[in-house]
Amino acid sequence: MAIRNLRFEGDEILRKKSREVEVVDDRVREILDDMVETMHANNGVGLSAVQVGILKRLVTVDVWYDEEHTPLKLVNPVIVKESKETHECQEGCLSFPNKFAMVNRPEKVTVKALDENGKEITIKGEGLLAQCLCHELNHLDGILFVDLMEPGTLEYLDPNKE
Ligand SMILES: [Zn+2]
């Protein structure tokens, strides 16, 4: 496994649409493993492949920070259902270091995807998991949280200042 270089705000690749993965093979599994490592190394809860410069529909998510859960590795994820109720949440992105803004996300979503072995899986997410799934799936279509934020809520938190 290896930590990959992140792509940041202003990089045109973040605006591109990622392509469907046709075969879930060792190459795809290696990217997913690297994505989990990169996400953890940067204290992120989610990552999409485009953020490490790969235009494939791959997403990793880990909102749990515990031993019981293994990180989600999703291939070609699609939202198949989302609740009408939304919640307002503060959101950031590993491609926008130290920037945060308020975004409205569905309270609950259902996502279908393939796992790292190419098996179909369904994930039901609520709260932070739902937020994270929406955020990462947006990346696959070149949509960023700053496109969805409520006007005037963007904040820059200087990491060098306590
Ligand atoms: Zn992001």
Side-chain angles (χ1 to χ4, degrees):
M1 294 217 287
I3 296 172
R4 304 224 179 187
N5 290 329
L6 287 172
R7 300 299 188 99
F8 295 107
E9 182 179 9
D11 192 319
E12 276 176 27
I13 200 168
L14 294 175
R15 288 300 181 184
K16 297 203 168 137
K17 213 173 144 86
S18 296
R19 289 179 294 271
E20 295 253 323
V21 173
E22 277 165 33
V23 187
V24 186
D25 55 13
D26 284 347
R27 164 100 185 101
V28 168
R29 282 186 279 277
E30 190 189 330
I31 297 169
L32 286 166
D33 285 344
D34 286 356
M35 284 171 63
V36 168
E37 200 176 340
T38 306
M39 173 175 78
H40 284 155
N42 289 283
N43 300 313
V45 292
L47 190 71
S48 60
V50 61
Q51 290 179 278
V52 292
I54 300 167
L55 286 169
K56 289 183 191 292
R57 300 185 85 82
L58 298 172
V59 160
T60 57
V61 171
D62 190 352
V63 295
W64 300 283
Y65 293 109
D66 64 27
E67 304 281 305
E68 276 168 60
H69 294 89
T70 47
L72 292 174
K73 296 175 190 170
L74 307 177
V75 179
N76 301 336
V78 182
I79 293 176
V80 291
K81 207 168 133 190
E82 62 179 64
S83 64
K84 282 205 187 74
E85 324 95 84
T86 58
H87 67 294
E88 198 185 41
C89 34
Q90 196 179 46
E91 202 160 301
C93 177
L94 289 181
S95 296
F96 291 74
N98 308 307
K99 285 190 175 169
F100 299 90
M102 300 306 291
V103 178
N104 267 303
R105 295 290 190 187
E107 189 56 48
K108 294 179 189 176
V109 291
T110 305
V111 169
K112 279 202 167 144
L114 299 178
D115 71 7
E116 62 191 308
N117 299 308
K119 210 180 91 193
E120 241 185 72
I121 50 169
T122 302
I123 294 131
K124 290 187 177 178
E126 276 190 56
L128 178 61
L129 178 56
Q131 177 188 358
C132 192
L133 287 165
C134 291
H135 177 111
E136 299 313 329
L137 268 64
N138 281 165
H139 270 299
L140 304 181
D141 294 317
I143 299 164
L144 302 169
F145 80 109
V146 287
D147 304 336
L148 310 170
M149 67 184 178
E150 291 174 40
T153 63
L154 188 67
E155 273 185 79
Y156 176 76
L157 301 180
D158 187 344
N160 301 312
K161 213 163 60 186
E162 271 304 297

